[in-house]
Amino acid sequence: MTDRRGCGLHEREVPLTVDDSQRRSRNRRLALGAAVLVIAAVRVWYCTRVPVNTADLLRSIHQSLYMLRDGLGVAGVPLDEGLSGIGWARLPYSYPPLVLPFFGVVAALSPTLFAAKLALTLVEAVNAFLVARITSSRWLGVLYWASPASIWWVSGEGQFEPLMAVFMFAAVALLRERPLVAMALLACGVNVKVTAILLLPWCLLVVERERRPLLLQAGASFAAALLIPLAFAG
């Protein structure tokens, strides 16, 4: 028997040194960073493309310009005749009340398709960070960031589901430590897309099991955050 690696009938495993461990850790961080940057570059390129499957984003930008001029009440007003070629232009803007203010902020800075898609892509980057935090896995966060569906529909088509998702992920991340804040965030998600309410039963169950004295306050926090934006939207 010999201790030399690669020789003898039994090879003895050589333990990693501190330098080896640090080198591997550094290489993993570099690979992670490189993956994030490559995906970011791909997403920015898609932000420069004109949407080919949907017209929602263009409608949202024009409606937000109306809002900046005339206030939130314009959500119920169709676009002008000159813009009737835009998808859904002759219908009221029927999305929940936090959607139009988001696009209003974007339009105030730059009322362009690129700016709106870039803003949604940045929101998706926050979502990827939250996924990594919730799962304690940076690579799962990178996988979320690399999702082909997200790259196409968010960075390419400008769909605003990430705005709903960021409130949902934030609610999950904070639920056990700060349930009242988490429930308010979930309500904000519902005020972006009603689909977010599907997370409500699970959130209430977690609060009931782990923070039962706060269950009533958590429900009130959700209700208040849900109703206040509706009141301002008229």
Side-chain angles (χ1 to χ4, degrees):
M1 183 183 300
T2 178
D3 290 341
R4 290 180 300 173
R5 286 178 291 181
C7 302
L9 297 176
H10 303 283
E11 298 178 4
R12 189 173 66 181
E13 183 177 341
V14 178
L16 290 175
T17 65
V18 173
D19 289 341
D20 290 334
S21 179
Q22 290 177 343
R23 188 180 303 109
R24 290 190 178 187
S25 178
R26 183 172 63 251
N27 289 341
R28 283 194 295 267
R29 289 196 301 269
L30 289 173
L32 188 83
V36 168
L37 291 176
V38 168
I39 298 163
V42 172
R43 282 181 173 274
V44 170
W45 183 84
Y46 270 97
C47 287
T48 66
R49 307 291 93 188
V50 175
V52 296
N53 293 115
T54 61
D56 307 52
L57 185 60
L58 192 58
R59 167 67 191 275
S60 294
I61 292 172
H62 281 286
Q63 200 78 34
S64 64
L65 291 173
Y66 282 19
M67 184 201 71
L68 292 174
R69 184 188 67 192
D70 300 325
L72 283 171
V74 301
V77 179
L79 297 180
D80 294 336
E81 283 292 337
L83 299 172
S84 60
I86 296 174
W88 317 108
R90 305 313 302 160
L91 297 174
Y93 193 79
S94 57
Y95 290 121
L98 291 187
V99 177
L100 197 55
F102 170 80
F103 284 110
V105 172
V106 175
L109 298 172
S110 177
T112 62
L113 290 172
F114 174 79
K117 292 200 289 182
L118 183 62
L120 290 166
T121 298
L122 292 174
V123 174
E124 197 72 313
V126 175
N127 288 337
F129 169 80
L130 290 172
V131 168
R133 176 179 171 179
I134 292 167
T135 63
S136 300
S137 171
R138 293 178 179 177
W139 283 107
L140 283 179
V142 172
L143 286 176
Y144 180 95
W145 180 233
S147 166
S150 172
I151 291 173
W152 177 260
W153 289 109
V154 178
S155 300
E157 294 291 313
Q159 298 296 290
F160 63 81
E161 275 74 9
L163 190 59
M164 172 190 69
V166 73
F167 290 116
M168 296 176 71
F169 285 137
V172 172
L174 294 174
L175 186 60
R176 289 176 171 84
E177 297 177 2
R178 304 185 68 182
L180 303 188
V181 174
M183 295 301 288
L185 288 170
L186 179 59
C188 290
V190 176
N191 275 323
V192 174
K193 273 207 165 182
V194 180
T195 314
I197 204 168
L198 294 175
L199 192 62
L200 179 61
W202 178 81
C203 289
L204 290 175
L205 181 62
V206 171
V207 175
E208 194 275 335
R209 286 180 175 178
E210 301 186 16
R211 303 292 295 274
R212 180 173 295 183
L214 295 178
L215 182 60
L216 184 61
Q217 295 96 313
S221 177
F222 176 85
L226 182 68
L227 295 176
I228 290 173
L230 291 173
F232 279 100

